[in-house]
Amino acid sequence: MGVVAKRSSMTFYSDGLSHYSHRVRIVLAEKGVSVDVVECAGGNIPEDLAQINPYNSLPTIVDRDLVLYESKIMMEYLDERFPHPPLLPVYPVARGQSRLLIYRIERDWSRLVDTITDNKDPDAVEAARQELKEGLIAVAPIFADKPYFMSDEFTLIDCCMAAILWRLNYLGIDIPQNKQTKPLFAYMDSLFSRDSFKESLSEIEQDMAHQKANLA
Protein backbone atom coordinates (compact mmCIF):
# COMPACT_ATOMS: atom_id res chain seq x y z
CA MET A 1 0.00 0.00 0.00
CA GLY A 2 1.07 3.59 -0.52
CA VAL A 3 3.40 5.36 1.88
CA VAL A 4 1.55 7.84 4.07
CA ALA A 5 2.83 11.39 4.38
CA LYS A 6 2.51 11.52 8.14
CA ARG A 7 2.44 8.82 10.77
CA SER A 8 -0.99 7.30 11.19
CA SER A 9 -2.56 6.42 14.52
CA MET A 10 -3.27 2.99 13.03
CA THR A 11 -0.67 0.28 12.39
CA PHE A 12 -1.29 -2.91 10.47
CA TYR A 13 1.05 -5.88 10.85
CA SER A 14 0.62 -7.73 7.58
CA ASP A 15 1.86 -10.88 5.86
CA GLY A 16 2.02 -10.22 2.12
CA LEU A 17 1.56 -13.93 1.40
CA SER A 18 -1.55 -14.36 3.54
CA HIS A 19 -5.07 -14.03 2.16
CA TYR A 20 -6.22 -13.12 5.68
CA SER A 21 -3.94 -10.08 5.70
CA HIS A 22 -4.92 -9.26 2.13
CA ARG A 23 -8.66 -9.16 2.85
CA VAL A 24 -8.07 -6.57 5.59
CA ARG A 25 -5.81 -4.49 3.33
CA ILE A 26 -8.62 -4.43 0.76
CA VAL A 27 -10.99 -3.03 3.40
CA LEU A 28 -8.43 -0.41 4.42
CA ALA A 29 -8.02 0.63 0.79
CA GLU A 30 -11.80 0.72 0.19
CA LYS A 31 -12.17 3.02 3.19
CA GLY A 32 -9.20 5.18 2.24
CA VAL A 33 -7.71 4.74 5.71
CA SER A 34 -4.26 6.16 6.42
CA VAL A 35 -2.36 3.27 7.98
CA ASP A 36 1.25 2.35 8.64
CA VAL A 37 1.75 -1.13 7.16
CA VAL A 38 4.44 -3.26 8.77
CA GLU A 39 5.27 -6.04 6.32
CA CYS A 40 6.09 -9.28 8.11
CA ALA A 41 6.30 -11.83 5.28
CA GLY A 42 8.55 -14.84 5.64
CA GLY A 43 8.08 -15.16 9.38
CA ASN A 44 9.84 -11.83 9.97
CA ILE A 45 7.63 -10.87 12.91
CA PRO A 46 8.69 -7.83 14.97
CA GLU A 47 9.49 -8.49 18.61
CA ASP A 48 6.97 -5.91 19.80
CA LEU A 49 4.08 -7.88 18.28
CA ALA A 50 4.26 -10.51 21.03
CA GLN A 51 3.79 -7.75 23.60
CA ILE A 52 0.44 -6.66 22.16
CA ASN A 53 -0.89 -9.89 20.65
CA PRO A 54 -0.90 -12.94 22.96
CA TYR A 55 -0.83 -15.25 19.92
CA ASN A 56 1.98 -13.34 18.17
CA SER A 57 0.00 -13.86 14.97
CA LEU A 58 -0.70 -12.10 11.70
CA PRO A 59 -2.56 -10.07 10.73
CA THR A 60 -2.77 -7.68 13.69
CA ILE A 61 -4.11 -4.16 13.67
CA VAL A 62 -3.46 -1.47 16.27
CA ASP A 63 -5.72 1.57 16.49
CA ARG A 64 -4.49 3.70 19.37
CA ASP A 65 -5.17 1.52 22.45
CA LEU A 66 -7.16 -1.12 20.60
CA VAL A 67 -5.43 -4.26 19.33
CA LEU A 68 -7.28 -6.73 17.08
CA TYR A 69 -5.83 -10.00 15.80
CA GLU A 70 -8.63 -11.83 13.95
CA SER A 71 -9.29 -10.78 10.37
CA LYS A 72 -13.11 -10.94 10.42
CA ILE A 73 -13.22 -8.82 13.59
CA MET A 74 -10.82 -6.32 12.00
CA MET A 75 -12.96 -6.07 8.87
CA GLU A 76 -16.17 -5.43 10.79
CA TYR A 77 -14.45 -2.97 13.12
CA LEU A 78 -13.09 -0.99 10.17
CA ASP A 79 -16.52 -0.96 8.55
CA GLU A 80 -18.05 0.49 11.72
CA ARG A 81 -15.17 2.84 12.49
CA PHE A 82 -15.14 4.22 8.92
CA PRO A 83 -18.75 3.89 7.74
CA HIS A 84 -18.26 5.15 4.17
CA PRO A 85 -18.51 3.32 1.92
CA PRO A 86 -20.49 0.71 3.89
CA LEU A 87 -19.29 -2.85 3.31
CA LEU A 88 -22.03 -4.63 5.25
CA PRO A 89 -25.80 -4.24 4.86
CA VAL A 90 -27.65 -1.93 7.24
CA TYR A 91 -30.43 -4.28 8.28
CA PRO A 92 -29.82 -7.04 10.87
CA VAL A 93 -31.18 -9.93 8.76
CA ALA A 94 -29.03 -9.00 5.76
CA ARG A 95 -26.00 -8.44 8.02
CA GLY A 96 -26.54 -11.88 9.52
CA GLN A 97 -26.72 -13.44 6.07
CA SER A 98 -23.52 -11.68 5.05
CA ARG A 99 -21.70 -12.89 8.16
CA LEU A 100 -22.90 -16.42 7.45
CA LEU A 101 -21.57 -16.26 3.89
CA ILE A 102 -18.17 -15.15 5.19
CA TYR A 103 -18.26 -18.05 7.66
CA ARG A 104 -19.07 -20.46 4.83
CA ILE A 105 -16.25 -19.08 2.69
CA GLU A 106 -13.86 -19.75 5.56
CA ARG A 107 -15.21 -23.25 6.21
CA ASP A 108 -15.46 -24.26 2.56
CA TRP A 109 -12.56 -22.46 0.85
CA SER A 110 -10.21 -20.61 3.20
CA ARG A 111 -9.28 -23.84 4.97
CA LEU A 112 -8.38 -25.35 1.59
CA VAL A 113 -6.11 -22.40 0.77
CA ASP A 114 -4.44 -22.91 4.15
CA THR A 115 -3.95 -26.62 3.44
CA ILE A 116 -2.39 -25.90 0.05
CA THR A 117 0.05 -23.34 1.48
CA ASP A 118 0.85 -24.93 4.85
CA ASN A 119 0.43 -28.71 4.64
CA LYS A 120 3.55 -30.78 3.97
CA ASP A 121 1.63 -33.83 2.74
CA PRO A 122 1.53 -33.73 -1.10
CA ASP A 123 -1.61 -35.88 -1.20
CA ALA A 124 -3.44 -33.53 1.17
CA VAL A 125 -2.33 -30.52 -0.87
CA GLU A 126 -3.49 -32.04 -4.15
CA ALA A 127 -6.83 -33.07 -2.63
CA ALA A 128 -7.34 -29.52 -1.35
CA ARG A 129 -6.48 -28.09 -4.78
CA GLN A 130 -9.03 -30.32 -6.45
CA GLU A 131 -11.73 -29.58 -3.88
CA LEU A 132 -11.20 -25.81 -4.15
CA LYS A 133 -11.22 -25.95 -7.95
CA GLU A 134 -14.42 -28.00 -8.04
CA GLY A 135 -16.10 -25.77 -5.46
CA LEU A 136 -15.38 -22.59 -7.42
CA ILE A 137 -16.52 -24.14 -10.70
CA ALA A 138 -19.75 -25.31 -9.06
CA VAL A 139 -20.56 -21.85 -7.67
CA ALA A 140 -19.51 -19.94 -10.82
CA PRO A 141 -23.04 -19.55 -12.29
CA ILE A 142 -24.29 -17.48 -9.32
CA PHE A 143 -22.13 -14.57 -10.49
CA ALA A 144 -24.35 -14.20 -13.56
CA ASP A 145 -27.17 -12.87 -11.37
CA LYS A 146 -25.40 -10.07 -9.47
CA PRO A 147 -22.22 -8.07 -10.12
CA TYR A 148 -20.80 -9.11 -6.74
CA PHE A 149 -21.19 -12.10 -4.44
CA MET A 150 -25.01 -12.34 -4.30
CA SER A 151 -25.13 -8.55 -4.04
CA ASP A 152 -25.40 -5.43 -6.18
CA GLU A 153 -22.80 -3.74 -3.96
CA PHE A 154 -19.19 -4.56 -3.11
CA THR A 155 -19.07 -5.98 0.44
CA LEU A 156 -16.80 -7.66 2.97
CA ILE A 157 -17.70 -10.96 1.30
CA ASP A 158 -16.02 -9.74 -1.89
CA CYS A 159 -12.94 -8.71 0.08
CA CYS A 160 -12.60 -12.31 1.27
CA MET A 161 -13.25 -13.72 -2.19
CA ALA A 162 -10.85 -11.34 -3.95
CA ALA A 163 -7.97 -12.35 -1.69
CA ILE A 164 -8.57 -16.03 -2.51
CA LEU A 165 -9.26 -15.68 -6.23
CA TRP A 166 -6.15 -13.55 -6.79
CA ARG A 167 -4.08 -16.48 -5.50
CA LEU A 168 -5.46 -19.23 -7.77
CA ASN A 169 -2.49 -19.36 -10.13
CA TYR A 170 -0.07 -19.11 -7.21
CA LEU A 171 -1.89 -22.05 -5.58
CA GLY A 172 -1.62 -24.12 -8.74
CA ILE A 173 -5.33 -24.02 -9.54
CA ASP A 174 -6.33 -23.65 -13.19
CA ILE A 175 -10.03 -22.89 -13.67
CA PRO A 176 -11.11 -23.77 -17.23
CA GLN A 177 -12.70 -20.95 -19.19
CA ASN A 178 -16.05 -22.10 -20.57
CA LYS A 179 -19.72 -21.16 -20.57
CA GLN A 180 -20.21 -22.32 -16.97
CA THR A 181 -17.24 -20.43 -15.56
CA LYS A 182 -17.63 -17.27 -17.65
CA PRO A 183 -19.52 -15.42 -14.84
CA LEU A 184 -16.73 -16.27 -12.38
CA PHE A 185 -14.09 -14.77 -14.67
CA ALA A 186 -16.24 -11.67 -15.18
CA TYR A 187 -16.55 -11.40 -11.37
CA MET A 188 -12.79 -11.68 -10.96
CA ASP A 189 -12.22 -8.99 -13.58
CA SER A 190 -14.57 -6.63 -11.74
CA LEU A 191 -12.81 -7.27 -8.42
CA PHE A 192 -9.27 -6.96 -9.73
CA SER A 193 -10.00 -3.77 -11.70
CA ARG A 194 -11.07 -1.83 -8.59
CA ASP A 195 -8.62 0.90 -7.60
CA SER A 196 -8.85 -0.23 -3.98
CA PHE A 197 -7.85 -3.76 -4.92
CA LYS A 198 -4.83 -2.56 -6.88
CA GLU A 199 -3.81 -0.37 -3.97
CA SER A 200 -4.17 -3.25 -1.52
CA LEU A 201 -1.57 -5.47 -3.17
CA SER A 202 1.68 -6.14 -1.35
CA GLU A 203 4.87 -6.42 -3.39
CA ILE A 204 4.62 -10.21 -3.21
CA GLU A 205 0.99 -10.17 -4.32
CA GLN A 206 1.71 -7.94 -7.30
CA ASP A 207 3.56 -10.87 -8.92
CA MET A 208 1.35 -13.60 -7.49
CA ALA A 209 -1.15 -13.83 -10.34
CA HIS A 210 1.65 -14.58 -12.80
CA GLN A 211 3.62 -17.23 -10.94
CA LYS A 212 3.08 -20.51 -9.18
CA ALA A 213 4.54 -21.07 -5.75
CA ASN A 214 6.86 -23.98 -5.08
CA LEU A 215 4.18 -25.78 -3.10
CA ALA A 216 4.01 -29.48 -2.27
Side-chain angles (χ1 to χ4, degrees):
M1 296 179 66
V3 177
V4 294
K6 59 181 180 179
R7 184 164 181 82
S8 167
S9 63
M10 189 177 293
T11 302
F12 183 57
Y13 294 86
S14 173
D15 179 353
L17 278 172
S18 166
H19 64 105
Y20 297 110
S21 289
H22 191 187
R23 59 166 66 165
V24 179
R25 276 186 271 110
I26 296 171
V27 176
L28 288 165
E30 280 285 329
K31 302 289 185 176
V33 178
S34 247
V35 59
D36 293 324
V37 178
V38 179
E39 185 56 60
C40 310
N44 184 27
I45 299 177
E47 292 181 6
D48 62 340
L49 188 61
Q51 299 173 14
I52 58 175
N53 177 346
Y55 302 104
N56 199 29
S57 61
L58 300 170
T60 297
I61 200 164
V62 182
D63 187 10
R64 297 183 176 87
D65 296 328
L66 176 68
V67 181
L68 300 175
Y69 36 81
E70 203 290 323
S71 63
K72 294 189 299 298
I73 296 174
M74 294 179 213
M75 294 165 72
E76 291 201 24
Y77 170 74
L78 291 168
D79 195 45
E80 294 170 351
R81 171 96 156 76
F82 305 97
H84 301 290
L87 297 178
L88 274 178
V90 173
Y91 299 106
V93 170
R95 288 173 78 89
Q97 291 171 335
S98 294
R99 290 184 173 113
L100 189 60
L101 282 172
I102 292 173
Y103 172 76
R104 292 191 62 182
I105 288 169
E106 292 213 323
R107 284 291 298 267
D108 294 346
W109 295 330
S110 295
R111 67 174 179 84
L112 297 174
V113 174
D114 297 341
T115 297
I116 295 167
T117 56
D118 300 335
N119 200 299
K120 302 304 180 184
D121 180 354
D123 291 336
V125 170
E126 190 52 42
R129 276 199 188 103
Q130 192 62 30
E131 186 177 347
L132 181 54
K133 177 178 178 177
E134 291 174 357
L136 291 172
I137 291 173
V139 80
I142 72 166
F143 297 107
D145 298 328
K146 301 279 187 178
Y148 296 107
F149 200 118
M150 301 178 70
S151 172
D152 291 319
E153 305 294 335
F154 184 87
T155 71
L156 294 184
I157 301 168
D158 301 298
C159 296
C160 297
M161 287 297 297
I164 292 174
L165 294 172
W166 183 252
R167 285 163 167 72
L168 291 183
N169 189 64
Y170 176 80
L171 297 171
I173 296 172
D174 183 19
I175 304 289
Q177 295 199 41
N178 53 42
K179 185 176 180 180
Q180 179 180 348
T181 61
K182 184 177 179 181
L184 175 61
F185 281 94
Y187 172 62
M188 288 194 284
D189 287 343
S190 67
L191 294 179
F192 302 158
S193 64
R194 294 178 73 86
D195 290 340
S196 59
F197 180 84
K198 296 174 185 176
E199 184 184 343
S200 75
L201 295 171
S202 67
E203 288 187 13
I204 296 171
E205 287 161 346
Q206 288 173 17
D207 297 325
M208 193 172 277
H210 309 293
Q211 63 183 18
K212 287 183 173 62
N214 184 22
L215 303 171

